[in-house]
Amino acid sequence: AQSVTQPDIHITVSEGASLELRCNYSYGATPYLFWYVQSPGQGLQLLLKYFSGDTLVQGIKGFEAEFKRSQSSFNLRKPSVHWSDAAEYFCAVGAWGATNKLIFGTGTLLAVQP
Amino acid sequence: DGGITQSPKYLFRKEGQNVTLSCEQNLNHDAMYWYRQDPGQGLRLIYYSQIVNDFQKGDIAEGYSVSREKKESFPLTVTSAQKNPTAFYLCASLPGQVEYSNQPQHFGDGTRLSIL
């Protein structure tokens, strides 16, 4: 079955520190992978996406993610976190085909300490 | 600017009452989706529609109904049969089928539904 796992429910980092949010997926075919960010009470904003090609993808707000097929992972990284990055982050896999839908992980809530 | 508009932002439902959440998009997208978000559970798909006058049940469709009479509109009705409707509801859209493979979903800002 198709699924996405975000093992970290809550992460706290200090401002200026590096960040890595983990995402593992289970999908039979070549996955289409996404990272979204959600501020409280808001919708989801796309950070970056992977469809094919270079396995290291760059996104908005200084985020990047690396697709590792051997590990079924698509971890999100940022070299230096800003206080405004505090939000909830969702990893998703695109289950295109008969249903054409996104399957979301349960999210990781990021807190940033001053 | 194009986008997805959800209204109202906050909605309260009385016991035994049906309520309808609005979702309108001016992106000219063919496909539209409704998700329910609960703390710690991520987003779960309620219903989706890939074309006008057609829609499919998602993973948690019980207690909900939708219609797709116009391309730009995909309202969600939370019926009295939905016993735990308190949640954050998100609407999303995608371009037409031939473009699914390289386009992300666009999301509205959500509607928070609570029980009185």
Side-chain angles (χ1 to χ4, degrees):
Chain A
Q2 300 147 352
S3 65
V4 176
T5 300
Q6 293 181 249
D8 303 308
I9 297 172
H10 189 206
I11 284 182
T12 300
V13 299
S14 298
E15 190 168 16
S18 63
L19 171 71
E20 183 169 25
L21 302 183
R22 296 183 290 166
C23 173
N24 293 95
Y25 66 90
S26 173
Y27 188 67
T30 300
Y32 297 131
L33 295 161
F34 307 85
W35 274 100
Y36 285 88
V37 61
Q38 184 182 34
S39 298
Q42 300 295 315
L44 273 67
Q45 181 184 23
L46 179 71
L47 284 175
L48 47 78
K49 61 187 179 186
Y50 171 79
F51 294 114
S52 64
D54 192 348
T55 57
L56 183 63
V57 293
Q58 302 296 320
I60 62 171
K61 305 185 180 187
F63 285 94
E64 66 177 26
E66 186 171 12
F67 169 60
K68 293 185 177 180
R69 185 186 298 275
S70 61
Q71 298 177 20
S72 297
S73 70
F74 188 56
N75 294 349
L76 182 71
R77 301 194 293 248
K78 187 169 184 178
S80 178
V81 171
H82 188 262
W83 63 266
S84 60
D85 293 324
E88 190 155 23
Y89 292 81
F90 292 93
C91 181
V93 61
W96 306 144
T99 56
N100 292 326
K101 64 180 184 180
L102 283 179
I103 299 169
F104 285 87
T106 51
T108 298
L109 186 61
L110 173 66
V112 180
Q113 289 181 332
Chain B
D1 286 341
I4 299 176
T5 301
Q6 289 188 242
S7 61
K9 191 170 181 65
Y10 300 96
L11 186 60
F12 298 92
R13 194 190 91 170
K14 296 180 181 178
E15 294 287 341
Q17 185 182 45
N18 293 353
V19 292
T20 297
L21 285 61
S22 171
C23 177
E24 302 280 331
Q25 54 99 357
N26 60 4
L27 299 164
N28 200 34
H29 286 175
D30 286 314
M32 297 186 74
Y33 303 77
W34 273 107
Y35 292 91
R36 169 177 171 143
Q37 187 178 20
D38 296 280
Q41 296 194 46
L43 280 71
R44 294 182 289 168
L45 183 64
I46 305 172
Y47 267 98
Y48 62 102
S49 168
Q50 297 189 39
I51 197 168
V52 174
N53 292 322
D54 185 54
F55 49 82
Q56 308 294 328
K57 291 181 179 180
D59 301 316
I60 55 165
E62 186 174 353
Y64 300 96
S65 66
V66 293
S67 62
R68 187 82 187 278
E69 298 177 0
K70 298 186 296 182
K71 186 175 185 178
E72 59 270 23
S73 179
F74 191 42
L76 173 74
T77 296
V78 184
T79 74
S80 57
Q82 172 51 244
K83 298 307 179 186
N84 184 25
T86 297
F88 190 54
Y89 292 85
L90 285 163
C91 180
S93 71
L94 265 179
Q97 290 193 17
V98 295
E99 300 166 84
Y100 279 161
S101 63
N102 61 359
Q103 293 291 327
Q105 284 188 343
H106 294 253
F107 284 84
D109 285 337
T111 293
R112 185 165 299 282
L113 175 63
S114 302
I115 295 297
L116 287 177

